[in-house]
């Protein structure tokens, strides 16, 4: 197991390294006249030159890259070109908001999808058909449309929730809940419907296994067989899929945060992108990649816990 | 020659699948509806210059946020553009953008999938790496980075989005191609001298076609969603009308003109839903055609062919007096097992089976596969696969098992009636240690404490002949051999002192050397615990070895039953006789043939 973790961790580090390198060259080689954009169209050529020199843009891309890399490994991701704020500060102050949104949505997805998937697989009949139909719809409708629908009906028309804004949990738990409910709902609809389909399929597969009959023959109750044995065996495939959904939820959160005016990474990302604030974009890509790698490692660990074969491999 | 050969070796099954697919799709209600909506959207996009009542870019300051009227059918947006006209023109851009992403994704993914699926080797490793790399970033985040690099060009963004989507195609194509790479008809094409590009286009592409079409529809849906999302964020080219851009404008004016959100939402939603439903309908239709009428349930060799005939019963005589004469433990009368079919009918797999098992008696159920013996065993425990129905009576200790509730049945299982399966490895839950699977039923059924149950499990493991019980207790199913696993299953079956044991071909899956040991173990346990046993087998050797009584099953019925001695001495039913002959055939040396040969040789020798 120890070697397994080390191996996965190493491949994660390599993945982050390649991804950030590629992103760096993509961003720095195609950025156009960045210094001109920062100082403004009306600025003199000297001012542009001075800005370019200040930001190190007059050096070769390669030397800029080694410079960035040597700082990045010590945690210094540079500073914003536009307001001089350190990238790590800009990101870390917003990270918790986005993570709480995405992790909350993932946990809710896991619970709802498991319940729906198990019920659909074991009850069959109309329950199954309803779950499957909703699954297709929930999967097809983009989550920002759901978010817009929720905002315009529940918040703007009926005033059940705050339309926009975000309250820290520490400030007021009840307002935090109110501010996060609609965004999380909008995020989970699609994820729940597709993960529920996966759970349903995995449970049906597991129920067909011979050992299920043998466990029943030993006098274990149906609840015990399903929730202890079948679910444990179905959890592996469903969990991998939940991991994929988590990555999708990070992307979804970028758009959802705009709709609900939630001060998370999404806002930073959209701002940095439209301005062309390359160091900030670079930092965001790297942080996202790290989150994804850590998540995949967690999924692998959970797989090892669930499946003795993986653990002993 | 090679022409005709390759033509005759045309890819089977899937080759025919997309033929007539379009027509079938139109008959599928969801397929027809989604195709209809999509056609309408594409047509209005193509005809935008004809249909649009206004110039989409003509902004009139007087008409900002105008309500729907005869002039502006859907109203005017926050800049005073006619919403209907803009929506029509936006359809062109949004659809073309999605199509571009789809085309790039398909071109890259299909090519890479074909090459690495067909040639394998290093290309495979490299492609897998690139795929993992592309999947490591959420699509939106990656597109934001792209947008930061290339600016607000919609087309560049969508083309790069296509690259990001290509792994989906790659994986589907790769799986399909590597599945057929070594199929006979591909080998045959290679041997017949076809060159690789030819083989790929003639034989491989056909396999890929169906899954790729299904995927294309759902990827189209994703492309529309993501593209609208990016433009909704205001990161698109503001000079080009898009659905997402219109949604952005309407969202900004949500408080003053909430109705305006409807139109771009409808356009995006309808397109995305239609594409997803189309993909589902395509999959349904293709799956239906590739597996025409798959029978559910179990193989049944000849349920329908066996006529109603009386059971040949061997009455007990003095010869068979050594058979145990304890109380009757199980009395099955007129047992019928049937399965509900999809078309509403029921298929009968066991019909009018009656048998009794006394305490301490081993009753063999013998017959060829599909004769209903395993179904009979499952029915007694009420553990049939879904859809199974039981009729008749199964009297056990004064209760009719056919009528007990599921809960009452659960209470009996393990404790009163236990089961040993046929295939050891697939009958142990792979996720739990062997020990925990032994302990769990004892805690539930006997109410033992954890320590007591563990103790008992270790003693049971020793009892069934496992050399190091402690180690096996802590082991996981994949760490033990088949023979070991079967001993574990036997230990589990007898762990709660059952009165009746149902063993379903307990030795069939084992090595010959292990078979004898397991049979010995069963015999020992049976006499120690004085259990009644139903032993399902297809082997008369096992019957002779262990059973007191035997019932011969064929086509879901018992054709002959009686004491083992009596049936061995005097098999009356032709089917029983043929089963005996089958054993004799197996064991008889090739005597007659040899004498024929020597006879022929000697006559030859004599004649020469």
């Amino acid at each position: 197991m120890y070697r397994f973790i080390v191996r996965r961790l190493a491949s994660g580090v390599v993945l982050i390294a390649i991804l950030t390198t590629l992103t760096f060259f993509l961003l720095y080689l195609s950025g156009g006249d960045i210094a001109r954009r920062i100082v403004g169209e009306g600025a003199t050529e000297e001012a542009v030159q001075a800005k370019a020199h200040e930001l190190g843009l007059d050096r070769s891309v390669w030397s800029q890259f080694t410079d960035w890399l040597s700082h990045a490994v010590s945690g210094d991701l540079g500073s914003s070109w536009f307001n001089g704020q350190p990238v790590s500060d800009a990101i870390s102050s917003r990270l918790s908001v986005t993570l709480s949104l995405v992790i909350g949505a993932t946990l809710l997805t896991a619970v709802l999808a498991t319940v729906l998937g198990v019920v659909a697989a074991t009850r069959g009949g109309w329950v199954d058909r309803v779950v499957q139909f909703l699954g297709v719809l929930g999967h097809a409708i983009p989550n920002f449309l759901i978010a817009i629908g929720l905002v315009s009906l529940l918040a703007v028309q009926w005033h059940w929730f705050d339309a926009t804004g975000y309250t820290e949990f520490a400030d007021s738990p009840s307002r935090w809940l109110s501010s996060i409910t609609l965004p999380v709902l909008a995020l989970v609809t699609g994820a729940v419907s597709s993960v529920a389909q996966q759970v349903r399929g995995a449970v049906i597969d597991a129920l067909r296994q011979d050992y299920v009959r043998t466990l029943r023959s030993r006098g274990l109750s149906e609840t015990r067989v399903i929730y202890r044995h079948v679910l444990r065996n179905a959890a592996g495939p469903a969990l991998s899929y939940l991991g994929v959904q988590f990555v999708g939820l990070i992307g979804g959160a970028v758009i959802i945060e705009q709709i609900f005016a939630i001060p998370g990474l999404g806002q930073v990302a959209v701002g940095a992108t439209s301005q062309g604030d390359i160091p900030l974009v670079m930092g965001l890509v790297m942080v996202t990649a790290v989150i994804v790698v850590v998540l995949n490692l967690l999924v692998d660990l959970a797989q090892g816990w669930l499946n003795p074969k993986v653990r002993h491999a | 020659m090679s022409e005709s050969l390759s033509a005759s070796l045309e890819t089977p099954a899937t080759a025919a699948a997309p033929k007539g697919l379009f027509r079938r799709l139109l008959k599928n209600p969801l397929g027809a509806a989604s195709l209809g909506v999509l056609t309408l959207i594409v047509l209005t996009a193509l005809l935008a210059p004809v249909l649009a009542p206004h110039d989409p870019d003509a902004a009139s300051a007087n008409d900002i946020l105008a309500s729907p009227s005869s002039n502006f059918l859907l109203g005017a947006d926050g800049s005073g553009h006619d919403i209907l006209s803009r929506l029509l023109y936006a359809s062109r851009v949004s659809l073309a953008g999605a199509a571009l992403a789809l085309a790039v994704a398909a071109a890259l993914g299909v090519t890479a999938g074909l090459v690495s699926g067909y040639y394998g080797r290093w290309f495979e490793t490299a492609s897998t790496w690139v795929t993992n790399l592309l999947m490591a970033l959420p699509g939106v985040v990656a597109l934001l980075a792209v947008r930061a690099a290339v600016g607000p060009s919609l087309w560049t963004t969508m083309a790069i989005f296509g690259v990001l989507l290509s792994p989906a195609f790659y994986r589907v194509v790769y799986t399909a191609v590597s599945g057929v790479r070594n199929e006979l008809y591909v080998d045959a094409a290679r041997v017949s001298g076809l060159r690789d590009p030819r083989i790929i286009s003639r034989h491989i592409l056909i396999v890929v076609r169906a899954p790729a079409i299904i995927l294309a529809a759902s990827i189209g849906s994703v492309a529309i969603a993501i593209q609208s999302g990016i433009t909704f964020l205001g990161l698109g080219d503001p000079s080009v009308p898009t659905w997402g851009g219109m949604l952005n404008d309407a969202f900004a004016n949500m408080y003053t003109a909430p109705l305006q959100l409807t139109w771009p939402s409808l356009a995006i939603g309808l397109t995305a839903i239609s594409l997803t439903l189309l993909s589902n309908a395509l999959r349904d239709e293709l799956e239906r055609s590739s597996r025409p009428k798959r029978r559910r349930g179990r193989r049944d060799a000849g349920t329908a062919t066996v006529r109603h005939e009386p059971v040949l019963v061997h009455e007990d005589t003095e010869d068979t007096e050594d058979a145990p004469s304890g109380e009757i433990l199980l009395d099955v009368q007129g047992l019928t097992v049937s399965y509900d079919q999809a078309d509403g009918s029921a298929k009968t797999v066991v019909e009018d089976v009656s048998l009794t098992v006394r305490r301490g008696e081993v009753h063999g159920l013998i017959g060829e596969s599909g004769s209903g013996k395993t179904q009979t065993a499952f029915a007694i425990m009420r553990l049939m696969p879904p859809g199974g129905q039981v009729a008749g009576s199964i009297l056990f200790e004064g209760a009719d098992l056919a009528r007990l509730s599921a809960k009452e049945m659960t209470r009996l299982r393990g404790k009163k009636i236990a089961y040993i399966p046929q295939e050891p490895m697939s009958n142990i839950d792979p996720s739990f240690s062997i020990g925990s699977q032994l302990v769990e039923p004892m805690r539930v059924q006997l109410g033992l404490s954890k320590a007591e149950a563990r103790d008992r499990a270790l003693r049971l493991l020793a009892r069934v002949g496992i050399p190091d019980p402690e180690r096996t207790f802590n082991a996981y199913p994949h760490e033990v051999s088949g023979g070991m696993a079967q001993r574990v299953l036997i230990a589990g079956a007898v762990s709660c002192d059952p009165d009746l044991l149902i063993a379903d071909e307990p030795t069939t899956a084992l090595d010959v050397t292990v078979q004898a040991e397991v049979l010995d173990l069963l015999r020992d346990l049976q006499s120690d615990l004085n259990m009644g046993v139903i032993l399902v087998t297809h082997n008369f050797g096992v019957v002779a070895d262990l059973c007191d009584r035997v019932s011969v099953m064929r086509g879901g019925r018992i054709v002959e039953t009686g004491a083992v001695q009596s049936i061995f001495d005097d098999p009356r039913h032709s089917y029983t006789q043929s089963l005996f002959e089958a054993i004799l055939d197996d064991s008889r040396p090739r005597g007659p043939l040899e004498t024929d040969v020597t006879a022929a040789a000697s006559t030859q020798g004599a004649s020469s």
Side-chain angles (χ1 to χ4, degrees):
Chain A
M1 191 67 198
Y2 180 70
R3 278 185 51 206
F4 171 74
I5 299 172
V6 169
R7 211 167 51 227
R8 297 309 307 242
L9 207 56
S11 92
V13 170
V14 172
L15 193 76
I16 293 172
I18 295 180
L19 200 64
T20 42
T21 310
L22 282 177
T23 314
F24 189 94
F25 284 100
L26 175 81
L27 288 172
Y28 281 78
L29 286 178
S30 56
D33 195 351
I34 300 163
R36 163 70 65 188
R37 234 188 302 156
I38 297 170
V39 292
E41 289 301 321
T44 61
E45 192 57 33
E46 286 78 49
V48 174
Q49 293 290 331
K51 194 70 187 174
H53 184 72
E54 180 198 327
L55 299 175
L57 293 171
D58 50 353
R59 291 182 293 150
S60 75
V61 177
W62 188 250
S63 90
Q64 288 183 63
F65 177 65
T66 49
D67 194 39
W68 182 85
L69 194 64
S70 62
H71 285 99
V73 290
S74 62
D76 174 11
L77 296 175
S79 301
S80 160
W81 282 347
F82 289 85
N83 58 21
Q85 190 190 17
V87 169
S88 46
D89 287 1
I91 290 176
S92 62
S93 63
R94 307 294 192 94
L95 186 61
S96 66
V97 176
T98 300
L99 277 186
S100 70
L101 194 65
V102 173
I103 292 175
T106 307
L107 293 180
L108 193 61
T109 300
V111 173
L112 291 178
T114 306
V115 173
L116 285 176
V118 170
V119 168
T122 53
R123 294 280 153 78
W126 66 269
V127 185
D128 190 18
R129 281 197 290 278
V130 168
V131 169
Q132 289 209 61
F133 184 70
L134 291 181
V136 173
L137 274 193
H139 183 71
I141 303 174
N143 53 19
F144 58 89
L145 279 191
I146 293 171
I148 288 173
L150 288 173
V151 170
S152 58
L153 286 182
L154 298 185
V156 175
Q157 301 283 318
W158 299 335
H159 305 288
W160 290 1
F161 292 91
D162 296 340
T164 56
Y166 179 75
T167 311
E168 286 285 343
F169 180 78
D171 296 343
S172 159
S174 65
R175 302 228 28 184
W176 171 80
L177 194 65
S178 166
S179 68
I180 208 161
T181 303
L182 291 187
V184 168
L185 269 184
L187 272 178
V188 299
T189 317
V192 165
S193 40
S194 38
V195 178
Q197 303 298 313
Q198 295 291 318
V199 173
R200 174 185 175 275
V203 167
I204 288 177
D205 277 350
L207 274 171
R208 283 201 198 111
Q209 301 299 312
D210 286 346
Y211 58 78
V212 172
R213 185 189 311 113
T214 303
L215 288 167
R216 285 178 179 145
S217 82
R218 300 273 166 83
L220 301 186
S221 66
E222 199 55 24
T223 326
R224 217 182 163 87
V225 169
I226 287 174
Y227 287 93
R228 191 172 144 92
H229 293 274
V230 169
L231 207 51
R232 170 110 175 220
N233 284 286
L239 188 69
S240 302
Y241 195 72
L242 188 66
V244 175
Q245 287 295 314
F246 183 93
V247 180
L249 286 175
I250 297 178
V254 171
I255 304 181
I256 298 292
E257 282 176 7
Q258 294 296 308
I259 294 175
F260 293 95
I262 293 172
L265 281 186
Q267 284 197 344
V268 183
V270 172
T273 304
S274 49
Q275 279 182 316
D277 197 343
I278 302 296
L280 199 46
V281 174
M282 206 43 229
L284 284 163
V285 167
M286 198 170 146
V287 166
T288 317
V290 169
I291 292 175
V292 172
V293 165
V294 169
L295 168 92
N296 285 337
L297 191 67
L298 288 178
V299 169
D300 286 338
L301 285 177
Q303 296 285 19
W305 177 74
L306 283 168
N307 185 346
K309 265 190 217 169
V310 174
R311 205 180 320 160
H312 295 275
Chain B
M1 169 61 204
S2 74
E3 271 303 299
S4 62
L5 179 65
S6 64
S8 67
L9 286 164
E10 191 75 341
T11 322
T14 37
K19 272 182 205 155
L21 179 62
F22 186 70
R23 205 174 311 143
R24 276 212 310 273
L25 207 55
L26 287 179
K27 285 191 186 140
N28 178 322
L30 280 181
S34 49
L35 256 186
V37 172
L38 287 173
T39 314
L40 194 70
I41 293 172
V42 172
L43 276 182
T44 51
L46 289 176
L47 297 176
V50 184
L51 294 173
H54 293 269
D55 176 355
D57 295 320
S60 120
N62 295 328
D63 298 316
I64 285 176
L65 297 179
S67 303
S69 63
S70 57
N71 191 17
F72 300 111
L73 281 177
L74 300 179
D77 69 8
S79 314
H81 300 120
D82 174 42
I83 291 182
L84 178 62
S85 308
R86 225 169 148 71
L87 201 60
L88 290 171
Y89 275 94
S91 302
R92 313 183 110 196
V93 181
S94 294
L95 290 177
L100 175 65
L102 186 59
V104 171
L108 281 179
V110 171
T111 314
L114 280 177
V115 175
S116 69
Y118 188 70
Y119 293 104
R121 294 186 289 270
W122 66 269
F123 203 93
E124 196 174 315
T125 327
S127 304
T128 311
W129 246 97
V130 174
T131 307
N132 285 342
L133 194 67
L134 290 179
M135 308 265 280
L137 271 192
V140 174
V141 174
L143 280 184
L144 290 185
V146 168
R147 162 67 168 74
V150 303
S153 159
L154 181 74
W155 307 112
T156 321
T157 311
M158 289 317 282
I160 295 179
F161 187 47
V163 178
L164 296 177
L165 284 173
S166 61
F169 278 99
Y170 168 75
R171 267 191 309 185
V172 163
V173 171
Y174 173 73
T175 315
V177 174
S178 54
V180 298
R181 176 165 57 189
N182 296 317
E183 287 286 337
L184 284 177
Y185 62 84
V186 175
D187 283 343
R190 217 173 278 146
V191 170
S192 71
L194 286 193
R195 295 161 58 112
D196 282 353
R198 189 88 198 271
I199 296 177
I200 290 184
S201 65
R202 269 194 94 115
H203 297 281
I204 307 268
L205 264 180
I206 268 170
V207 183
V208 165
R209 193 159 62 178
I213 293 173
I214 296 171
L215 185 67
S218 70
I219 289 284
S221 170
V222 173
I224 288 282
I226 292 278
Q227 184 229 39
S228 308
I230 293 287
T231 44
F232 170 70
L233 288 176
L235 298 175
D237 183 347
S239 66
V240 184
T242 56
W243 289 340
M246 294 185 67
L247 195 62
N248 186 6
D249 182 81
F251 188 67
N253 300 306
M254 180 171 60
Y255 289 89
T256 41
L259 194 66
Q260 295 196 354
L261 279 171
T262 316
W263 316 119
S265 299
L266 265 182
I268 299 167
L270 274 180
T271 313
I273 292 173
S274 301
L275 282 166
T276 307
L277 291 180
L278 181 66
S279 161
N280 278 15
L282 276 166
R283 194 189 53 214
D284 289 350
E285 289 303 324
L286 287 171
E287 274 179 2
R288 195 176 302 167
S289 62
S290 62
R291 293 187 233 116
K293 279 166 208 133
R294 211 169 121 233
R295 279 261 192 99
R296 282 176 53 88
R298 312 187 58 97
R299 301 155 293 171
D300 53 328
T303 330
T305 58
V306 171
R307 277 176 296 116
H308 219 101
E309 52 184 336
V311 182
L312 297 172
V313 180
H314 293 239
E315 295 302 336
D316 289 356
T317 61
E318 289 98 68
D319 288 355
T320 55
E321 68 191 356
D322 55 329
S325 51
E327 38 154 340
I328 291 184
L329 199 58
L330 177 77
D331 184 10
V332 177
Q333 291 301 328
L335 176 72
T336 296
V337 180
S338 55
Y339 285 87
D340 299 337
Q341 299 295 295
D343 59 9
S345 66
K347 191 172 79 179
T348 306
V349 295
V350 172
E351 197 162 11
D352 198 19
V353 160
S354 302
L355 58 89
T356 58
V357 180
R358 291 170 185 275
R359 188 175 289 282
E361 181 185 57
V362 181
H363 192 132
L365 272 184
I366 191 165
E368 62 196 11
S369 39
S371 60
K373 49 196 198 310
T374 297
Q375 288 296 320
T376 306
F378 288 167
I380 293 169
M381 296 181 290
R382 295 260 310 276
L383 285 177
M384 292 91 63
Q389 307 280 347
V390 179
S393 71
I394 308 167
L395 293 174
F396 177 82
E397 295 195 333
D400 184 355
L401 303 188
R403 274 159 197 77
L404 286 191
S405 71
K407 218 173 216 159
E408 290 166 318
M409 245 355 265
T410 302
R411 230 171 288 143
L412 281 180
R413 285 189 206 121
K415 201 170 171 185
K416 297 284 184 185
I417 305 179
Y419 163 68
I420 300 174
Q422 173 176 357
E423 170 61 54
M425 294 316 269
S426 68
N427 275 286
I428 311 187
D429 184 340
S431 301
F432 288 83
S433 73
I434 284 173
S436 82
Q437 291 183 64
L438 286 173
V439 163
E440 193 182 1
M442 287 193 268
R443 300 202 61 196
V444 171
Q445 290 292 36
L446 303 178
L448 298 186
S449 76
K450 214 169 182 174
E452 288 167 339
R454 183 191 149 85
D455 210 46
R456 195 179 157 96
L458 287 172
R459 269 183 287 135
L460 279 165
L461 288 174
R463 173 69 187 85
V464 297
I466 282 171
D468 187 350
E470 191 85 30
R471 205 175 117 197
T472 305
F473 185 91
N474 291 319
Y476 282 91
H478 69 273
E479 297 170 318
V480 300
S481 68
M484 203 80 114
Q486 190 61 303
R487 286 172 195 273
V488 167
L489 282 163
I490 292 173
V494 301
S495 67
C496 300
D497 283 333
D499 298 314
L500 177 68
L501 183 66
I502 296 176
D504 183 8
E505 309 216 17
T507 57
T508 308
L510 303 177
D511 290 344
V512 181
T513 46
V514 186
Q515 282 185 3
E517 293 171 23
V518 168
L519 287 177
D520 283 346
L521 172 64
L522 277 176
R523 190 187 4 249
D524 281 4
L525 284 170
Q526 187 267 330
S527 63
D528 277 10
L529 302 170
N530 198 26
M531 293 179 290
V533 175
I534 292 182
L535 184 69
V536 174
T537 180
H538 60 262
N539 184 338
F540 259 119
V542 172
V543 170
D545 199 8
L546 279 182
C547 297
D548 304 300
R549 265 168 202 291
V550 62
S551 295
V552 181
M553 287 195 75
R554 185 193 189 188
R557 292 170 169 279
I558 291 182
V559 294
E560 184 164 10
T561 183
V564 168
Q565 193 60 54
S566 171
I567 292 208
F568 270 65
D569 290 347
D570 175 24
R572 295 177 200 159
H573 197 280
S574 59
Y575 179 63
T576 315
Q577 289 162 359
S578 69
L579 284 178
F580 275 117
E581 273 160 26
I583 314 178
L584 295 178
D585 275 354
D586 275 352
S587 51
R588 187 182 298 159
R590 292 270 157 101
L593 189 64
E594 263 172 23
T595 50
D596 282 356
V597 171
T598 43
S602 59
T603 44
Q604 259 185 1
S607 64
S608 62

